[in-house]
Amino acid sequence: MNLERRADSAFSIEDLRMMAMRRLPRLVFDFFDGGAEDEVTLRANRAAFEQTRIAPRILVDVATVETRTNILGVPAALPIVVGPTGGVDLGRRGGDVCIAKAAADSGIPYTLSTRSSASIEEIADAAPGRHWFQAYILQNQAFLAKMIDRARAADYEALVITVDLAVGGKRERDLRNGFSAPFRPTRAGLLDLVSHPRWSIDMLIRGTPPAGNLHGLDGDAAPRSTLASAAGRDYDPSFDWARLAALRDVWPRKLVVKGVLRPDDAERLSSLGCDAVVVSNHGGRQLDTSMATFDALPAVAAAAGKMEVMLDGGVRRGVDILKARALGANAVLLGRATLYGAIAAGAPGARRALDILEDELRRAMQLCGAPDFARIDASVLADSSRLQRARAGLSVGMRMNNFAAV
Ligand SMILES: Cc1cc2nc3c(=O)[nH]c(=O)nc-3n(C[C@H](O)[C@H](O)[C@H](O)COP(=O)(O)O)c2cc1C
């Protein structure tokens, strides 16, 4: 089946996920699909959306629907940004470019990960569109500064600083599967590799995909480190508010901070002059049992001042985007949704993921009597207890701030 036809045979993000699962050896799929420790947060991100109900309005003219919105002050066709994901090319060679092209075709921004295979410059050339660069704070500060300069030279619109990865999360699927650097598959893992010959032979012949932005970064692999902990080894756990302020001073364009869950942190980021925050727990891959992003959203939105607020984590349905808007996000970021699409069916698969979410979002807006995305508010939600809890959380956040000032 060609890629277009395969993509068209998916009707939901879950369909794309299943296709991705069939295509990959289990240990590789688990790297993309899994979360940290008991995966409580991974499940909580989904559960928070699923447990929130809508109270649809009737007899509203929904013949036309407006999904356009401003993202970082610039109009976008949809309230969606493709978020940064590293290691994509392990799932499909050329996967970063596939996803970047799909984002450009859909008229939305694309975020390139520090740990992508395609480099900053390759993405700028291959997929003209709105590009953001996600920077992990490397211990090698000179190298980090050079990467940021490259993003500026290649006209990236925004720098996204991920702040929830001071160290790598403990991802037990990877540990059990021996998905580590150096690669040490278990006996079952070896059988799994043999039963996926296309993937395995490609890796044997062409080698594992390069880290396009990290050529020249020093560092020996620690024994039995998973990709997560190997990544964590390069990062600088001493990065703090003062260093973020210094980054704000040297990066003149839009600055987005990703990995914010607390209103007091949001307030402080606003006073530092950041342009946007992403309410994120890294898709449940870092600190397990940290709160669901949808639960964190309203308090962060209330404390964000002039900053734009986005959310990621568990977005798998168009109606999730509507709910995120209702609690104060002006856009969502996608992690696994476009990733599954690209793994399942390349660029058409990534595009299919975006088309599915757009179709579902439009339909949800029509069915709940909310034709203009920008004007959706909490009144579309039936379940106001979540909002009330979040408001209570906000006042706790404020009290903590007062305490800190004493
Ligand atoms: C395989 C994978 C790799 C990721 N790599 C990065 C990364 O390099 N930088 C980053 O800031 N976040 C990374 N993330 C987190 C995503 O940007 C995003 O926060 C998360 O996936 C959102 O949750 P979702 O996958 O449920 O949509 C990664 C997530 C996954 C699943």
Side-chain angles (χ1 to χ4, degrees):
M1 206 191 289
N2 73 23
L3 291 181
E4 303 273 354
R5 278 181 49 210
R6 191 181 309 158
D8 287 348
S9 69
F11 298 102
S12 65
I13 301 301
E14 181 61 18
D15 286 349
L16 291 168
R17 175 176 175 268
M18 286 299 158
M19 288 179 190
M21 182 159 78
R22 283 193 292 273
R23 207 178 157 269
L24 292 179
R26 185 70 205 203
L27 53 86
V28 184
F29 178 75
D30 276 347
F31 162 71
F32 294 116
D33 197 58
E37 299 181 11
D38 297 312
E39 302 190 338
V40 171
T41 297
L42 179 70
R43 289 189 297 277
N45 281 344
R46 274 305 304 143
F49 282 122
E50 285 172 355
Q51 287 161 10
T52 300
R53 301 284 181 270
I54 290 177
R57 274 198 184 84
I58 58 167
L59 298 174
V60 179
D61 176 356
V62 290
T64 55
V65 161
E66 183 54 88
T67 57
R68 265 175 307 178
T69 188
N70 282 348
I71 302 180
L72 293 186
V74 178
L78 296 169
I80 299 177
V81 177
V82 173
T85 49
V88 177
D89 283 30
L90 276 173
R92 177 176 291 276
R93 201 104 19 200
D96 295 315
V97 173
C98 291
I99 298 177
K101 281 187 171 154
D105 288 349
S106 297
I108 61 170
Y110 166 80
T111 315
L112 182 72
S113 160
T114 293
R115 298 200 84 86
S116 58
S117 296
S119 68
I120 292 170
E121 295 78 9
E122 275 172 82
I123 289 292
D125 289 347
R130 292 179 66 180
H131 301 136
W132 300 1
F133 179 64
Q134 175 266 325
Y136 281 130
I137 302 303
L138 302 172
Q139 294 191 10
N140 186 333
Q141 290 185 39
F143 195 95
L144 174 66
K146 252 191 249 157
M147 267 198 316
I148 293 176
D149 280 350
R150 284 169 55 196
R152 191 186 347 223
D155 262 347
Y156 278 54
E157 171 189 0
L159 184 63
V160 179
I161 305 292
T162 299
V163 292
D164 56 14
L165 201 136
V167 297
K170 183 175 178 237
R171 298 217 288 272
E172 294 180 9
R173 292 200 212 184
D174 295 348
L175 288 167
R176 290 196 187 94
N177 289 334
F179 196 67
S180 53
F183 186 38
R184 294 220 184 117
T186 58
R187 190 186 294 254
L190 279 174
L191 279 176
D192 189 19
L193 291 175
V194 172
S195 62
H196 289 85
R198 202 174 31 182
W199 186 91
S200 308
I201 290 170
D202 177 66
M203 288 297 150
L204 271 177
I205 293 176
R206 298 168 70 186
T208 50
N213 295 318
L214 297 176
H215 286 305
L217 181 67
D218 296 331
D220 304 323
R224 299 295 286 167
S225 58
T226 63
L227 287 198
S229 56
R233 217 186 40 248
D234 294 329
Y235 305 147
D236 186 352
S238 70
F239 185 70
D240 61 5
W241 286 98
R243 300 235 330 256
L244 181 69
L247 258 183
R248 172 66 290 185
D249 290 344
V250 298
W251 175 261
R253 301 183 196 148
K254 300 288 184 186
L255 185 69
V256 181
V257 176
K258 172 173 179 281
V260 178
L261 294 170
R262 297 171 54 104
D264 51 356
D265 282 342
E267 246 184 20
R268 202 162 165 189
L269 290 167
S270 170
S271 59
L272 256 186
C274 298
D275 297 289
V277 288
V278 184
V279 177
S280 175
N281 52 33
H282 218 101
R285 293 164 75 81
Q286 284 297 108
L287 176 63
D288 198 26
T289 75
S290 62
M291 63 198 300
T293 50
F294 189 62
D295 288 334
L297 173 63
V300 171
K306 289 195 181 124
M307 295 187 300
E308 286 186 22
V309 177
M310 299 170 226
L311 165 142
D312 75 17
V315 176
R316 303 287 183 273
R317 290 283 181 191
V319 74
D320 300 337
I321 306 172
L322 182 151
K323 289 174 183 172
R325 173 70 206 146
L327 292 194
N330 70 318
V332 298
L333 269 65
L334 302 177
R336 294 179 184 84
T338 32
L339 198 51
Y340 295 142
I343 295 169
R351 180 62 204 257
R352 182 73 178 160
L354 294 170
D355 289 348
I356 287 170
L357 291 172
E358 174 176 2
D359 171 64
E360 289 176 353
L361 172 63
R362 285 180 175 279
R363 204 180 290 265
M365 288 168 66
Q366 287 174 300
L367 290 175
C368 80
D372 186 355
F373 182 80
R375 295 179 57 188
I376 293 171
D377 62 23
S379 66
V380 300
L381 301 182
D383 178 6
S384 58
S385 61
R386 204 158 220 117
L387 193 57
Q388 278 158 12
R389 267 211 317 275
R391 285 201 175 119
L394 173 64
S395 60
V396 171
M398 293 307 180
R399 280 204 299 278
M400 281 166 39
N401 267 352
N402 295 342
F403 187 67
V406 171

